[in-house]
Amino acid sequence: MKPTIVLVHGAFAESASWNGVISRLRAAGHRVIAAANPLRSLSGDAAAVRTLLTSIEGPIVLVGHSYGGAVITNAAIGLGNVKALVYAAGLAPDKGESVPDLTGKYPGATLGEVLYQVPLPDGTTDAYVEQSGYNRHFAADLSPEQAAVAAATQRPFNSAAAGEGSGEPAWRTIPSWFIYPELDLAIPAEVFRFMAERAGARATVEVPGASHALPVSQPQAVADLILRAVANI
């Protein structure tokens, strides 16, 4: 049975950000699901994705972009049918680590300069990327027109999700693959190198000149690594 490939988007994006990757994976004969990531709390988001995973029969390759990497790290724990984790510019936290713990571990991230906060009635805030800064700081290798559409359709990232520490990481027991951009301004490339080495990644690919919007700007490279993971499960 071919594995189902489940894709989990990150903050300031949405499921359609995987469209280019999906078309390539489907052409290779795979069933693909782009999961909706609530972006409300790490534990809650992981629980939502885990519910989806438990409904799928057969093997799964689980892929996370950006904060979606933290979600898959928590969602897959203890699920025997998840055979591979692929981090596409994705965070792979260890137990207790939060998003800021990793994004601030090495210098180079500038995305915080163009975030704005929207206070919510529950006392948390939703963060958005200013549309004028989305192209430069999040998606520098997209055309201005592509970046403008992505900026307009971005989904906000709640402060509760950003600040919550991770649980026990699934990458300790499930094989992992990493692909990351050379010129990421949201998560410095050195952070990806650190996480991949710590996780004992089966393969690590750096994409020259690429931005944080890797699934959109480099769908072939992302799909190729996912298919490498599929071939090795």
Side-chain angles (χ1 to χ4, degrees):
M1 180 184 293
K2 283 191 172 184
T4 299
I5 300 171
V6 177
L7 310 170
V8 181
H9 68 82
F12 318 121
E14 39 84 44
S15 292
S17 61
W18 293 108
N19 283 357
V21 177
I22 292 168
S23 63
R24 288 161 171 82
L25 297 176
R26 282 178 49 79
H30 289 282
R31 180 186 184 219
V32 186
I33 301 172
N37 186 357
L39 306 177
R40 301 293 88 191
S41 71
L42 180 53
S43 56
D45 299 341
V49 171
R50 186 181 180 87
T51 299
L52 171 63
L53 299 177
T54 58
S55 74
I56 297 171
E57 294 185 6
I60 296 170
V61 171
L62 187 55
V63 187
H65 172 241
S66 189
Y67 165 76
V71 173
I72 70 171
T73 296
N74 286 265
I77 194 75
L79 294 183
N81 62 330
V82 178
K83 301 301 184 181
L85 302 172
V86 180
Y87 293 90
L91 291 171
D94 203 347
K95 185 175 182 178
E97 286 180 336
S98 68
V99 171
D101 290 336
L102 288 170
T103 58
K105 188 173 182 64
Y106 297 98
T110 63
L111 185 64
E113 300 171 10
V114 291
L115 298 181
Y116 68 94
Q117 310 291 331
V118 176
L120 300 180
D122 64 1
T124 64
T125 59
D126 269 352
Y128 292 81
V129 180
E130 294 174 5
Q131 293 194 18
S132 60
Y134 196 96
N135 199 176
R136 176 182 175 186
H137 295 271
F138 193 91
D141 55 347
L142 296 184
S143 70
E145 292 77 15
Q146 287 176 300
V149 172
T153 58
Q154 67 177 287
R155 296 187 58 230
F157 190 35
N158 190 266
S159 56
E164 186 177 350
S166 179
E168 193 68 34
W171 49 256
R172 289 204 187 280
T173 56
I174 301 173
S176 61
W177 281 256
F178 283 72
I179 182 169
Y180 64 90
E182 176 195 16
L183 303 179
D184 197 318
L185 296 180
I187 305 170
E190 190 61 31
V191 177
F192 296 119
R193 298 184 193 111
F194 163 77
M195 293 185 298
E197 181 176 359
R198 179 173 67 178
R202 298 289 181 89
T204 304
V205 176
E206 182 177 294
V207 183
S211 78
H212 188 63
L214 198 66
V216 181
S217 66
Q218 303 290 335
Q220 188 65 58
V222 173
D224 285 347
L225 187 66
I226 294 170
L227 292 173
R228 282 176 64 185
V230 168
N232 282 276
I233 63 173

